[in-house]
């Protein structure tokens, strides 16, 4: 049995008469893709390699259509003891759209599988919908009640942007609480994996077992994701849609499966830009490298062997840091391994959740995460071998940030890591006290006050730099203004205003500097 909660009609793939448009799903595979070598998996409960079927699963879950009923049956609380139910083939149905009681606190979701089975929650990647998991559903629902959700603004979900991974996790918990689901297994891809790791850290008593797919304790650099937000704010989602295939799939798969590639591109195009930008900001701020030792549930770290986004190196960092973790590399797969090698990924998830499900919570309630300096990943030698986990850091209660710590954080968020790293690298005994002064008072005080938002502070700063003639700082603060949410058109208006009150020559020089920075920061990747 399947049920869907959708708070808004879904964007159509093709005209759909007689009701709201269906949530778009992936097309059938155009041609069979030869099966890759069996993914190698080691660790407790994985004594033998897991071999995928000879050819990938060809049929996705059928695209759901709205039934005639106005309201679905109320979901029942889930049983929490994992025991395989009588196998049955799911028959997806779609409930008519209905408003959420707390729209910003609820996520768009659907259930598949028998009602009496234990719940397995599955999370999507940035720019995708729950349909990225369609080809795993027929097998997974033989054992679990599968709960899938969409990120805000994805797949037609309400565009209530979530500013952090923790906020996404809180909304997921609120949604599950409303359905009576207390304990569950969790598998998530990319940002969906980040949500799962956050749940395991802050709600360990809720998570029975964890799978992190194409995930990382820190996704690239904060600068990369904030610049991606600048590009989307300036150019829309088309640059991200155009480059999605090369980030998500291996070249061979993309060439052999043009229909799948086009489906992936359309998923990105139909995403709300504001929610996409917010998700980029959430990933920019996500960093749990110092907290991996506190993840206390059995964890599968699964990654495509050819993933260039969050590849095997990031996966090994996770395995080295999580005490009860095992690594699985899927040959012939890139970032969206569940789409590219569905059978192999499905087999690995079945094996993990069947053998590594904690019946009763053993972890104590989580303590708040305390930011700290990142520690290098432990060295990792043989492929698919689990490295010794470092000692878990002692839990520390919340502490008030010092002015310096607050200043460092805000300075990096506004100016970017690259700029701050360059300034720190050039400091010497003569200038280091001045940099300390700047960090504590400019960034730890003025920029950290609540009276003005960062967009407004950027407007004031650009004007002050032009008025004072200190144009040497204008390039850095033009970049900061873009990252703080100002568009190129708004920056132009600020400089036009300065031309009236500060003089044409000063504004002319400022326009030349700002134009160069804007072109550099907003030009989409080739």
């Amino acid at each position: 049995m399947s049920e869907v909660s959708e708070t808004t009609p879904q964007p159509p793939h093709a005209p759909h008469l007689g009701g709201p448009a269906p949530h778009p799903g992936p097309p059938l595979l155009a041609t069979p893709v030869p099966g890759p070598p069996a993914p190698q998996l080691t660790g407790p409960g994985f004594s033998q390699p897991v071999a995928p079927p000879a050819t990938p699963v060809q049929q996705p879950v059928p695209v759901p259509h709205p039934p005639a009923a106005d309201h679905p049956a109320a979901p029942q609380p889930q049983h929490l003891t994992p025991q395989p139910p009588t196998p049955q083939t799911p028959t997806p149905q779609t409930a008519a759209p209905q408003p959420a009681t707390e729209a910003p606190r609820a996520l768009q979701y659907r259930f598949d599988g028998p009602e009496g089975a234990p719940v397995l929650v599955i999370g999507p990647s940035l720019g995708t919908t729950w349909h990225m998991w369609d080809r795993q559903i027929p097998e997974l629902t033989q054992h679990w009640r599968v709960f899938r959700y969409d990120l805000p603004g994805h797949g037609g979900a309400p565009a209530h942007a979530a500013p952090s991974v923790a906020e996404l996790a809180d909304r997921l918990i609120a949604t599950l609480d409303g359905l009576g689901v207390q304990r569950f297994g969790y598998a998530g891809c990319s940002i969906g994996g980040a949500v799962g790791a956050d749940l395991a850290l802050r709600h360990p008593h809720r998570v029975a077992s964890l799978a992190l797919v194409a995930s990382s304790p820190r996704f690239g650099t904060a600068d990369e994701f904030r610049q991606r937000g600048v590009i989307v704010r300036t150019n829309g989602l088309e640059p991200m849609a155009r480059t999605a295939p090369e980030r998500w799939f291996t070249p061979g798969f993309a060439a052999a499966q043009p229909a799948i590639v086009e489906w992936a591109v359309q998923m990105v195009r139909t995403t709300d830009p504001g929610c996409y930008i917010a998700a980029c900001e959430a990933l920019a701020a996500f960093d749990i490298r110092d907290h991996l030792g506190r993840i206390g549930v059995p964890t599968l770290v699964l990654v495509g062997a050819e993933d260039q986004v969050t590849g095997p190196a990031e996966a090994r960092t996770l395995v080295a840091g999580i005490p009860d973790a095992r690594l699985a590399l899927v040959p012939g797969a890139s970032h969206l391994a569940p789409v590219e090698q569905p059978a192999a990924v499905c087999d690995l998830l079945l094996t993990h959740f069947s053998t590594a499900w904690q019946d009763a919570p053993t972890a104590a309630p989580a303590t708040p995460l305390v930011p700290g300096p990142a520690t290098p990943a432990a060295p990792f030698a043989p492929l698919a071998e689990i490295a010794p986990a470092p000692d878990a850091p002692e839990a520390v209660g919340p502490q008030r940030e010092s002015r310096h710590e607050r200043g460092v954080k805000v300075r990096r968020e506004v100016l970017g890591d690259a700029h701050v790293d360059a300034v720190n690298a050039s400091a010497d005994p003569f200038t280091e006290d001045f940099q300390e002064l700047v960090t504590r008072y400019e960034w730890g005080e003025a920029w950290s006050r609540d009276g003005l938002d960062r967009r407004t502070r950027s407007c004031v700063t650009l004007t002050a730099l032009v008025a004072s003639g200190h144009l040497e700082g204008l390039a850095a603060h033009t970049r900061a203004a873009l990252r703080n949410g100002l568009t190129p058109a708004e920056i132009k208006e600020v400089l036009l205003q300065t031309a009236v009150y500060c003089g044409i020559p000063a504004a002319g020089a400022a326009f030349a500097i700002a134009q160069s920075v804007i072109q550099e920061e907003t030009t989409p990747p080739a």
Side-chain angles (χ1 to χ4, degrees):
M1 176 180 179
S2 303
E3 64 185 58
V4 178
S5 173
E6 298 180 342
T7 53
T8 61
Q10 305 303 304
H13 244 273
H16 175 69
L17 304 178
H23 195 293
L28 299 177
L29 287 172
T31 55
V33 179
Q40 298 299 307
L41 185 66
T42 61
F46 296 92
S47 57
Q48 298 179 355
V50 181
T55 58
V57 178
Q58 299 293 311
Q59 296 291 336
V61 175
V63 176
H65 290 262
D70 290 333
H71 299 284
Q76 301 298 314
Q78 308 302 310
H79 296 290
L80 305 181
T81 303
Q83 52 185 4
T86 302
Q88 65 182 76
T89 302
T91 306
Q93 298 176 354
T94 305
Q98 53 183 322
T101 54
E102 296 181 9
R105 298 292 297 168
L107 294 175
Q108 181 168 278
Y109 70 92
R110 69 171 289 155
F111 271 117
D112 293 281
E115 293 184 5
V119 174
L120 177 60
V121 177
I122 300 183
S125 172
L126 174 61
T128 72
T129 72
W130 63 45
H131 281 292
M132 67 163 286
W133 295 99
D134 273 355
R135 291 179 176 85
Q136 285 74 40
I137 296 302
E139 291 293 330
L140 294 181
T141 52
Q142 301 299 312
H143 307 277
W144 294 283
R145 175 89 158 143
V146 177
F147 174 101
R148 287 182 284 173
Y149 67 90
D150 276 329
L151 298 170
H154 291 58
H160 300 295
S164 67
V165 170
E167 172 65 19
L168 286 172
D170 288 343
R171 294 188 193 182
L172 176 57
I173 286 291
T175 306
L176 294 171
D177 284 346
L179 297 168
V181 178
Q182 292 300 310
R183 192 156 170 80
F184 48 85
Y186 186 95
C189 182
S190 194
I191 192 173
V195 170
D198 183 85
L199 290 173
L201 286 167
R202 296 194 298 121
H203 303 279
H205 56 293
R206 303 291 292 270
V207 182
S209 189
L210 180 65
L212 305 178
V213 180
S215 196
S216 177
R218 185 191 185 195
F219 291 80
T221 68
D223 288 357
E224 292 170 3
F225 279 98
R226 292 196 172 103
Q227 184 175 19
R228 187 186 295 190
V230 169
I231 290 172
V232 173
R233 190 177 291 113
T234 307
N235 302 280
L237 280 164
E238 185 57 31
M240 298 300 109
R242 188 176 64 250
T243 57
E246 65 190 56
R247 294 195 307 271
W248 287 353
F249 305 122
T250 59
F253 181 88
Q257 303 293 344
I260 297 280
V261 169
E262 179 57 26
W263 161 76
V265 168
Q266 290 302 323
M267 276 195 299
V268 180
R269 284 177 176 152
T270 56
T271 298
D272 176 77
C275 289
Y276 189 99
I277 292 168
C280 289
E281 290 291 333
L283 289 174
F286 183 77
D287 188 351
I288 59 169
R289 288 174 294 175
D290 284 344
H291 306 285
L292 294 177
R294 291 179 42 231
I295 296 179
V297 297
T299 302
L300 171 68
V301 179
L302 189 156
V303 63
E306 299 181 48
D307 190 343
Q308 301 298 312
V309 180
T310 51
E314 287 82 358
R316 290 168 185 148
T317 301
L318 288 168
V319 172
I322 299 173
D324 185 8
R326 49 196 58 78
L327 173 65
L329 273 75
V330 180
S334 186
H335 194 58
L336 287 195
V339 176
E340 193 162 5
Q341 295 296 344
V345 170
C346 189
D347 282 352
L348 290 164
L349 294 178
L350 285 168
T351 302
H352 173 68
F353 286 110
S354 296
T355 60
W357 188 291
Q358 290 183 346
D359 291 326
T362 57
T367 55
L369 298 184
V370 179
T375 54
F380 198 93
L383 189 65
E385 181 177 332
I386 301 174
D391 294 335
E394 294 183 3
V396 181
Q399 297 178 354
R400 182 179 178 85
E401 283 184 311
S402 71
R403 185 181 296 160
H404 175 82
E405 291 170 335
R406 185 169 63 248
V408 168
K409 178 182 177 184
V410 174
R411 191 178 190 182
R412 287 186 175 278
E413 289 175 352
V414 173
L415 294 179
D417 288 333
H419 177 88
V420 176
D421 288 342
V423 170
N424 290 340
S426 65
D428 58 23
F430 184 74
T431 61
E432 62 184 4
D433 289 341
F434 173 72
Q435 290 302 326
E436 172 70 13
L437 183 74
V438 169
T439 298
R440 284 190 289 119
Y441 289 100
E442 179 182 355
W443 299 103
E445 283 288 343
W447 274 89
S448 297
R449 293 178 61 83
D450 295 329
L452 297 175
D453 60 31
R454 289 185 183 175
R455 283 170 47 89
T456 305
R457 291 189 187 279
S458 279
C459 291
V460 173
T461 303
L462 292 176
T463 304
L465 289 173
V466 176
S468 64
H470 294 307
L471 299 184
E472 66 276 3
L474 191 66
H477 277 282
T478 300
R479 289 188 179 89
L482 290 167
R483 296 180 186 193
N484 285 340
L486 289 176
T487 65
E490 290 170 327
I491 293 174
K492 178 181 71 175
E493 292 300 323
V494 171
L495 297 183
L496 286 172
Q497 192 79 359
T498 65
V500 174
Y501 289 96
C502 303
I504 297 295
F511 263 104
I513 295 171
Q515 181 184 41
S516 176
V517 171
I518 289 171
Q519 287 177 345
E520 178 184 343
E521 291 291 311
T522 64
T523 300

